[in-house]
Amino acid sequence: MNEQIRGRAGGSRRRRPDGCERALSEAYDTALLDLDGVVYAGGHAIEHAVESLTVARDGGMHLAYVTNNASRTPEAVAAQLSGFGLPTGPADVITSAQAVARLIAEQVPSGARVLAIGGEGLRVALRERGLAPVASADDDPAAVVQGYDPTLDWERLAEAAYAVQRGVPWFASNTDLTIPKERGIAPGNGALVEVVRIAAGGTPQVAGKPQPPMHRETVLRTGAERPLVIGDRLDTDIEGAYNGGVDSLLVLTGVTTAAELLAAPPQHRPTYVDADLRGVLEPQPDVVPVDGGFRCGGWRAETAGDVLVLDGDGTPLDGLRALCAAAWTAAGEGRCGADGGKALGRIGM
C-alpha cells in the first residue's frame, strides 16, 4: 500500500479524528465501500447514498463495494446497485465468499469437496477456485465453510456441526454477529457460526473483515493506491482498515452509535467520522488541541475526572469529533473519560 496513506492511518497512535482540506473523493483514488448499513439496508438505498456516490464517481473516484455478506454473487450485488441508479459491474464487488474461497483453495487440493453452508454466492466463489461444493458431511469434504444465508435451516447447521466434530477443517466467510435490515438489526453469520461452535467446539478460520484475507482479496481485485475504507461497523470495517494500514471513514447510518464510537479502542478508531455518504464529497474539519481540551468548529470538549464535558454550539458532528478526541486521549493516558451521556445529549446524539 502507499506509504503516505499507511502513515496517515495512525495505528495505535490515533487520539483524534483527522482533518482533510480537500473533499475525500479528491484525496483518495478508491472508495472501498461496505454495503449493509452504508449503501443500503436490506432492499432500500440509504438516504443520500446514491447521489453522493454518483458525484464522487463522476469526479474520478473509483467505487469498489466490499461486503462481508457471502450470500449473493457479485453479479447479483452489482444488479441491485445498478437498480438503485449506481451502474456497477461484477468486478466492482468483492465479497467475503471470494476471500474465504481463496483461503480454502490454498490449503486443500484442487478439485476438493467442500461442505458449503451458505448461499449461492458462496458456492459460486468455491467453484471459481476449482473446488466442489457439497451438501452433506457424509460426502467426505476436505473442508467445511459457513457463509451468511437468510434461508439457512437447522439441517444445514447440523451438517456443519457433524463435519466439524469429525475434524474437518472449518472456515467462515465472516463472523459479524448482526446485519442491518429494513425492519432493524438481525442475526448475522457470526451468530450462526456460534451455533455450530456450541454444538461441535473449535474455532473456524475467518476470511472476512477485519481479517487479513479480506484485505488481501480487496487489494488484489481493485489495485487501489490511495484507498479509503468506508463502513458503519467498528469491529469489521474500521478494524479491517486498521489491520491493512489504510485510512477509514465511519458513517453513522448503520449499527455504530455515538457512544460506542467514544469508547472505541485504538483498532476501532476511524480516521474520519461523518453522518452519511455526503461526507465523501466534503473536506473534513480539523480537531485542534486547545486549553487542555479539543476544539472542532464551535465546540470544545474536555474530560473532568471520568466525565466528558462539551461546551459551545454548532454542527452536532463537530461536537462528536471533539468528544472523540477528548475520550480517546483520556483512554490513552489511562484516564476513563468514557461517560459522555450528558455531552452527547447536548448535540442530540
Side-chain angles (χ1 to χ4, degrees):
M1 303 306 297
N2 184 288
E3 288 303 315
Q4 180 180 0
I5 296 299
R6 182 181 293 278
R8 281 179 53 80
S12 61
R13 300 185 302 275
R14 177 164 308 287
R15 295 193 177 182
R16 62 179 184 267
D18 278 0
C20 186
E21 294 181 353
R22 293 186 291 164
L24 296 180
S25 58
E26 298 173 3
Y28 298 88
D29 70 339
T30 305
L32 304 180
L33 292 137
D34 183 48
L35 289 172
D36 294 301
V38 175
V39 180
Y40 56 62
H44 300 285
I46 288 174
E47 190 175 10
H48 308 300
V50 173
E51 300 87 343
S52 300
L53 293 177
T54 298
V55 173
R57 182 197 61 216
D58 292 347
M61 190 180 213
H62 176 213
L63 305 181
Y65 301 93
V66 185
T67 177
N68 264 0
N69 190 330
S71 65
R72 296 186 298 160
T73 64
E75 288 79 5
V77 175
Q80 180 181 13
L81 292 169
S82 297
F84 290 148
L86 285 168
T88 305
D92 297 321
V93 179
I94 301 94
T95 74
S96 62
Q98 294 169 326
V100 78
R102 186 187 298 270
L103 185 63
I104 296 169
E106 292 171 345
Q107 300 181 41
V108 303
S110 177
R113 298 174 181 176
V114 177
L115 176 57
I117 310 300
E120 181 64 14
L122 183 61
R123 292 186 289 273
V124 167
L126 290 169
R127 294 188 189 103
E128 287 178 348
R129 290 290 158 200
L131 303 171
V134 297
S136 171
D138 295 334
D139 289 329
D140 194 26
V144 55
V145 58
Q146 285 184 259
Y148 177 73
D149 180 0
T151 67
L152 204 60
D153 59 21
W154 180 90
E155 291 183 356
R156 303 291 293 139
L157 291 171
E159 291 297 328
Y162 301 149
V164 173
Q165 290 169 34
R166 296 171 187 176
V168 176
W170 182 22
F171 298 81
S173 64
N174 68 294
T175 51
D176 297 11
L177 291 174
T178 60
I179 185 170
K181 293 293 186 180
E182 300 98 322
R183 296 169 59 194
I185 304 299
N189 192 56
L192 302 177
V193 169
E194 280 298 295
V195 171
V196 174
R197 185 191 64 77
I198 291 168
T203 302
Q205 294 185 52
V206 182
K209 297 179 285 186
Q211 302 303 321
M214 189 66 172
H215 179 72
R216 178 179 59 160
E217 192 73 23
T218 300
V219 170
L220 288 172
R221 290 179 180 268
T222 65
E225 295 184 359
R226 301 189 313 279
L228 178 68
V229 170
I230 304 175
D232 70 308
R233 298 184 72 106
L234 300 178
D235 60 348
T236 55
D237 306 314
I238 305 308
E239 185 175 342
Y242 174 92
N243 290 340
V246 299
D247 285 356
S248 60
L249 167 66
L250 177 76
V251 291
L252 300 174
T253 49
V255 301
T256 298
T257 66
E260 290 168 341
L261 179 60
L262 296 184
Q267 70 272 23
H268 291 174
R269 296 172 186 171
T271 313
Y272 311 106
V273 180
D274 223 305
D276 52 54
L277 283 174
R278 289 177 294 181
V280 176
L281 306 177
E282 302 170 353
Q284 295 291 308
D286 286 322
V287 182
V288 182
V290 56
D291 300 329
F294 295 89
R295 182 175 297 280
C296 185
W299 296 97
R300 180 183 177 279
E302 65 179 358
T303 54
D306 61 353
V307 176
L308 288 170
V309 179
L310 182 70
D311 291 308
D313 197 2
T315 303
L317 270 168
D318 286 345
L320 178 60
R321 293 173 180 126
L323 284 168
C324 284
W328 297 350
T329 298
E333 295 174 351
R335 295 180 286 125
C336 180
D339 185 1
K342 291 184 179 178
L344 289 174
R346 287 211 60 197
I347 55 177
M349 291 187 174

